[in-house]
């Protein structure tokens, strides 16, 4: 429990501590008065700024924070590259919609047919095409799932509703969706290091009997916060892992092995979008279509993207702006 609370406290304190450490803006030097002239028309107000200060739920075209990570297995790396000139053919199977964590009771999502439609369109960008038997038989089976992954709410000290391991597992599971297995492993190591550091700091006391370092000092110097301040991408990934997200996961298996006891995973693409202020219905199409360049491409780290989407369903898809789930059970492929 102590370790989980430390992890949550570090993630929540970091933004405030970083903001507090930033230097205050200095006032611009006064300018000499300009010669008298006819009054100019006031500059036109930027409507984009007006909309950006509104909550996302009230914006007509909110900006979405997205992450995409594709991880290839050793077997997947042995295959020849896939491209529009050298396509690979697949069949799909849906593992359905899943809510993870403390999801709202009235959550709505897209229909399976809609998710598959966007996925098919996105996969085609890199040369992954629907099989057409018998002329174009499948070499891949792509299993996909989607849903929400939300923070767990911890009870009070007298009546805790959750164990520390449950809370930590919730964060790390979401970290795997956001940044892949490597990022989740790194975050676990940072949590452990921060917890050990906090324990050591509390054990060191001054002559007065008080800890030498205040909780704020410990939080600011902890490895998680230092990792977050290292780059804008690190901050993006940690913020995404510490918040509610919607996700889509597509896993490509060798078709011949998919219905056997030894399924061969070739690659897995995980996609997330920050959930606060937006619905699945308006954000998931943009999420899946923005991931198009990354399907089947081995990525050393997650890509962070910022995209806008239209509430009416018109999805704006262009060049993205850069700013382990369990192995599924054998399933009969769709024809």
């Amino acid at each position: 429990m102590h370790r989980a609370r430390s992890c949550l406290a570090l993630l929540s304190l970091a933004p405030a501590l970083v903001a507090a450490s930033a230097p205050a803006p200095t006032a611009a030097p006064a300018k000499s008065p300009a010669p008298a002239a006819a009054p100019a028309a006031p500059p036109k107000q930027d409507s984009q700024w007006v909309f950006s200060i509104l909550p996302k739920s009230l914006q007509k075209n909110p900006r979405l924070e997205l992450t995409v990570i594709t991880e290839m297995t050793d077997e997947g790396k042995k295959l020849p590259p896939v491209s529009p000139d050298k396509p690979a053919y697949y069949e799909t199977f849906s593992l359905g919609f899943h809510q993870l964590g403390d999801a709202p009771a009235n959550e709505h999502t897209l229909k399976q047919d809609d998710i598959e439609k966007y996925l098919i369109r996105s996969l085609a960008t890199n040369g992954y095409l629907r099989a057409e038997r018998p002329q174009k038989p499948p070499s891949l089976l792509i299993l996909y799932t989607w849903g929400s992954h939300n923070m767990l709410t911890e009870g009070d000290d007298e009546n805790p509703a959750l164990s520390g391991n449950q809370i930590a597992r919730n964060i790390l599971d979401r970290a795997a969706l956001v940044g892949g297995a490597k990022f989740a492993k790194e975050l676990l190591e940072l949590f452990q290091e921060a917890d050990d550091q906090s324990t050591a700091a509390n054990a060191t006391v001054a002559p007065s009997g008080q800890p030498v370092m205040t909780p704020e000092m410990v939080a600011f110097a902890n490895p998680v916060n230092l990792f977050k301040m290292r780059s804008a991408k690190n901050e993006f990934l940690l913020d995404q892992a510490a918040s509610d997200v919607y996700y889509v996961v597509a896993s490509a298996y060798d078709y011949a092995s998919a219905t056997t006891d030894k399924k061969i995973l070739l690659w897995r693409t995980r996609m997330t979008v920050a959930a606060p202020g937006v619905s699945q219905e308006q954000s998931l199409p943009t999420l899946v279509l923005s991931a198009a360049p990354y399907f089947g491409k081995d990525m050393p780290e997650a890509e962070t993207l910022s995209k806008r989407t239209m509430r009416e369903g018109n999805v704006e898809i262009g060049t993205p702006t850069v700013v382990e789930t369990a192995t599924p059970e054998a399933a009969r492929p769709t024809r």
Side-chain angles (χ1 to χ4, degrees):
M1 180 70 74
H2 173 67
R3 173 164 294 169
R5 287 178 179 170
S6 298
C7 298
L8 289 170
L10 298 178
L11 290 174
S12 62
L13 278 175
L17 291 170
V18 173
S21 65
T26 56
K31 297 182 179 180
S32 302
K44 185 178 180 181
Q45 191 174 22
D46 187 353
S47 60
Q48 182 177 1
W49 167 252
V50 173
F51 282 110
S52 67
I53 64 176
L54 293 174
K56 283 189 177 182
S57 59
L58 299 180
Q59 294 181 35
K60 181 180 180 182
N61 187 20
R63 184 170 292 279
L64 305 174
E65 291 78 42
L66 318 172
T67 68
V68 184
I69 176 71
T70 296
E71 297 164 303
M72 298 195 76
T73 65
D74 291 339
E75 291 298 324
K77 293 175 182 178
K78 296 177 184 178
L79 298 178
V82 175
S83 68
D85 295 332
K86 297 180 179 179
Y89 297 96
Y90 66 87
E91 288 182 348
T92 58
F93 187 88
S94 171
L95 298 176
F97 168 78
H98 296 280
Q99 289 180 330
L100 304 172
D102 290 340
N106 59 347
E107 189 172 34
H108 297 285
T109 188
L110 277 70
K111 296 179 180 179
Q112 177 180 312
D113 289 347
D114 292 328
I115 289 288
E116 185 159 315
K117 175 183 67 176
Y118 291 119
L119 189 60
I120 290 170
R121 175 179 164 187
S122 196
L123 284 163
T125 300
N126 282 354
Y128 291 93
L129 305 177
R130 291 294 297 272
E132 299 176 7
R133 294 173 181 269
Q135 296 86 355
K136 299 174 181 178
S139 62
L140 304 172
L141 176 65
I142 296 183
L143 286 77
Y144 64 94
T145 184
W146 73 101
S148 62
H149 200 304
N150 305 284
M151 292 287 290
L152 295 176
T153 303
E154 186 180 10
D156 56 34
D157 292 339
E158 296 182 358
N159 186 28
L162 302 165
S163 70
N165 286 338
Q166 286 176 299
I167 297 173
R169 185 72 264 166
N170 172 261
I171 296 173
L172 294 171
D173 284 348
R174 194 161 45 256
L177 286 172
V178 168
K182 180 182 176 182
F183 174 67
K185 182 176 181 293
E186 184 176 14
L187 186 56
L188 173 60
E189 293 171 351
L190 288 170
F191 280 172
Q192 293 171 336
E193 185 179 348
D195 189 66
D196 293 341
Q197 179 176 302
S198 177
T199 301
N202 290 332
T204 306
V205 298
S208 63
Q210 298 297 321
V212 173
M213 296 181 67
T214 66
E216 290 77 12
M217 294 169 62
V218 174
F220 185 77
N222 79 80
V224 178
N225 195 36
L226 295 178
F227 173 83
K228 185 172 185 176
M229 293 189 295
R230 197 177 303 159
S231 69
K233 174 171 283 189
N234 288 355
E235 181 177 9
F236 193 113
L237 293 175
L238 280 173
D239 286 346
Q240 197 93 325
S243 181
D244 298 343
V245 299
Y246 304 136
Y247 70 89
V248 179
V249 177
S251 303
Y253 287 83
D254 171 73
Y255 190 88
S257 72
T259 55
T260 70
D261 294 334
K262 295 183 179 180
K263 307 173 191 63
I264 300 176
L265 176 66
L266 303 175
W267 53 262
R268 173 171 289 137
T269 298
R270 315 186 211 211
M271 303 152 266
T272 72
V273 53
V278 296
S279 68
Q280 292 189 41
E281 293 164 314
Q282 70 182 125
S283 61
L284 288 184
T286 301
L287 174 63
V288 176
L289 293 175
S290 295
Y294 307 105
F295 285 107
K297 305 295 184 183
D298 192 29
M299 301 170 64
E301 61 181 9
E303 203 64 86
T304 57
L305 315 173
S306 180
K307 300 288 293 184
R308 288 193 181 276
T309 185
M310 296 297 293
R311 184 181 296 276
E312 291 80 1
N314 299 320
V315 181
E316 172 205 351
I317 296 299
T319 302
T321 302
V322 177
V323 257
E324 172 104 277
T325 59
T327 302
E329 297 295 329
R332 185 177 60 185
T334 54
R335 292 289 192 269

